[in-house]
Amino acid sequence: MAEFDEVKATFWGEGLDGVQPPLTDAVVEEAERQLGVRLPASLLQILRIQNGGVVADAWNAFPTDVPTSWSESHVPFDEMMGIGRHDDQLSLLDTAYLVEEWGLPSSVVLLSGDGHCWIALDYRACGKRGEPSVTWFDVETGTELPLATDFTEFVERLTAAASLDDDEADGSR
């Protein structure tokens, strides 16, 4: 398991796909107001380096103890949404719409996903001002899988998908 600061320093991959304008305090305050929650400080640290986009290959998967519809050994985390409204790119600010569209619990903030599966900050147990856990939601199977007790632990447990499944190293189902 890597230290948070080690992952943070090399978290982002190449390219500008999904990248929002640089994060400011005003943008964070407005996002927290719109989302109705306090965002984790560790998430904001990473988003201040780059506000969303492609996650580096070294950190593009979260290992699981149980099989999921994605893989026998992990869930994908190849991109993370930022905060903003740039070029019609998905953002954490789209959570309310996406939650309704995909029938997800209302007390979550979506970090990554494709509609069929999502990774989210889960505020159901901690409340809007607490430290959310991180949960995998599979809309297709109607299942959810707790991944980490908080965002820092989630980041520290990220690894390369290629190191988990030789047959799934390309990240495809």
Side-chain angles (χ1 to χ4, degrees), residues 112-135:
S112 182
D114 65 1
H116 305 282
C117 301
W118 297 96
I119 293 176
L121 299 173
D122 191 342
Y123 288 85
R124 291 177 293 181
C126 69
K128 296 176 181 203
R129 308 305 294 162
E131 189 69 26
S133 59
V134 179
T135 303

Side-chain angles (χ1 to χ4, degrees), residues 48-67:
R48 286 186 192 285
I49 294 169
Q50 179 178 300
N51 191 6
V54 176
V55 175
D57 288 346
W59 316 115
N60 68 356
F62 188 92
T64 60
D65 295 331
V66 297

Side-chain angles (χ1 to χ4, degrees), residues 32-90:
E32 289 181 330
R33 188 192 65 70
Q34 279 186 32
L35 295 166
V37 298
R38 184 185 53 80
L39 295 168
S42 54
L43 170 65
L44 296 175
Q45 287 178 37
I46 288 175
L47 291 178
R48 286 186 192 285
I49 294 169
Q50 179 178 300
N51 191 6
V54 176
V55 175
D57 288 346
W59 316 115
N60 68 356
F62 188 92
T64 60
D65 295 331
V66 297
T68 68
S69 62
W70 181 265
S71 164
E72 293 292 314
S73 64
H74 70 279
V75 296
F77 193 67
D78 50 1
E79 57 186 37
M80 185 168 78
M81 292 186 277
I83 301 171
R85 295 274 184 222
H86 182 66
D87 289 345
D88 294 326
Q89 297 180 78
L90 281 182

